[in-house]
């Protein structure tokens, strides 16, 4: 399982000591910082916006994997690119012109990701998969950390993996929501390349050890 990338979600970090938690991830075996931006419109919750991401970007040393749970994400592509995002993920359900949005992200030099809500069929990406650097399969309904993993996710991962192979794409599969030690290995076996974990990492007694365990 050592090839899997681990992306701790800072949504579950201690916001009063954000720098401490970012530095912990930087010192851990994790690969990316997962950053959840929520607007209170696309999802019911508001998390944090660009000033906080800017602060994180100033001291984080690992790549920033920015997950935009917002409507009209095109309006903010340049902002997050300028802040130093390595990957910018938009929601399929929030994009009327997904191809155009992905091209706009890539034009800034940032990797383009697409997130799918639990009800969204992975095969909707059939004609665009070769344009996508990362697909984020939501294994909970987006908006909150600490929710239970949706078991149907395994089928979606297998179906997406088959599509990626069929189209000879190099797209990474990321899983976001309810990831823990009970499902990590099975997700990787099904085809996952990146595991996002919020509560499981930050609410654990020893986050460094928990990250190491997830990494396998
Ligand atoms: C949910 C976010 C997730 C969340 C995961 O809308 O996209 O990244 O932080 O948190 P856990 O791992 O606690 O489910
Ligand atoms: Zn996320």
């Amino acid at each position: 399982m050592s090839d899997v990338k681990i992306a701790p979600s800072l949504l579950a970090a201690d916001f009063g000591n954000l720098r401490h938690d970012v530095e912990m991830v930087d010192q851990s075996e994790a690969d990316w910082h997962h950053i959840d931006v929520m607007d209170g419109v696309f999802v019911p919750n508001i998390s944090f916006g660009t000033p906080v991401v800017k602060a994180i970007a100033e001291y984080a040393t690992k790549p920033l994997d920015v997950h935009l749970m917002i409507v009209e994400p095109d309006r903010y592509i340049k902002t997050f690119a300028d802040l130093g995002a390595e990957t910018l993920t938009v929601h399929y359900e929030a994009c009327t012109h997904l191809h155009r949005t992905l091209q706009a992200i890539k034009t800034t030099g940032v990797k383009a990701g697409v997130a799918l809500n639990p009800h969204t069929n992975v095969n909707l990406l059939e004609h665009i998969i070769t344009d996508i650097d990362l697909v984020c399969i939501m294994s909970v309904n987006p908006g909150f950390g600490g929710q239970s993993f949706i078991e149907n996710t395994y089928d979606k991962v297998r179906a997406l993996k088959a599509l990626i192979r069929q189209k000879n794409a190099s797209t990474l599969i990321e899983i976001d929501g309810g990831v823990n030690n009970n499902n990590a290995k099975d997700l990787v076996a099904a085809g996952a390349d990146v595991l996002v974990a919020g509560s499981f990492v930050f609410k654990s007694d020893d986050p460094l050890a928990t990250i190491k365990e997830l990494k396998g």
Side-chain angles (χ1 to χ4, degrees):
M1 218 169 116
S2 56
D3 276 355
V4 68
K5 292 188 194 309
I6 305 298
S9 168
L10 290 171
L11 187 66
D14 175 0
F15 289 166
N17 290 291
L18 196 49
R19 182 166 190 154
H20 169 273
D21 284 358
V22 171
E23 287 174 352
M24 182 280 293
V25 173
D26 278 332
Q27 284 156 20
S28 76
E29 290 184 29
D31 297 271
W32 298 344
H33 294 283
H34 185 80
I35 298 183
D36 289 304
V37 177
M38 305 179 184
D39 66 355
V41 179
F42 180 69
V43 288
N45 197 13
I46 298 174
S47 56
F48 45 75
T50 50
V52 173
V53 178
K54 184 169 189 283
I56 294 168
E58 274 163 17
Y59 44 78
T61 57
K62 288 186 175 170
L64 306 184
D65 171 37
V66 179
H67 177 190
L68 296 181
M69 284 161 273
I70 64 174
V71 296
E72 298 183 49
D74 303 64
R75 294 169 60 200
Y76 296 98
I77 291 170
K78 188 173 182 314
T79 304
F80 284 102
D82 289 347
L83 285 177
E86 178 177 272
T87 306
L88 203 47
T89 296
V90 296
H91 262 265
Y92 177 89
E93 302 82 8
C95 295
T96 309
H97 301 286
L98 183 62
H99 185 272
R100 179 184 292 157
T101 303
L102 295 177
Q103 301 313 315
I105 294 171
K106 289 189 189 182
T107 300
T108 66
V110 173
K111 289 184 184 143
V114 177
L116 303 179
N117 277 343
H119 72 276
T120 303
N121 193 323
V122 297
N123 288 311
L124 289 167
L125 302 177
E126 180 183 354
H127 302 293
I128 202 170
I129 192 72
T130 53
D131 293 301
I132 306 175
D133 295 305
L134 174 144
V135 174
C136 176
I137 295 182
M138 293 305 303
S139 37
V140 298
N141 283 294
F144 302 94
Q147 303 179 81
S148 302
F149 179 82
I150 297 172
E151 295 290 326
N152 184 56
T153 303
Y154 298 112
D155 284 349
K156 291 183 75 172
V157 177
R158 283 189 282 267
L160 179 59
K161 195 71 176 181
L163 175 64
I164 290 168
R165 289 208 171 116
Q166 182 205 330
K167 299 284 185 181
N168 210 11
S170 51
T171 317
L172 296 178
I173 301 177
E174 178 177 72
I175 313 299
D176 189 3
V179 171
N180 57 41
N181 262 350
N182 297 325
N183 50 36
K185 279 200 177 62
D186 290 342
L187 286 166
V188 173
D193 303 293
V194 187
L195 301 178
V196 174
S199 316
F200 188 64
V201 166
F202 287 101
K203 309 296 180 214
S204 75
D205 291 338
D206 186 347
L208 285 171
T210 302
I211 291 168
K212 191 180 175 70
E213 259 181 87
L214 282 171
K215 187 86 180 166

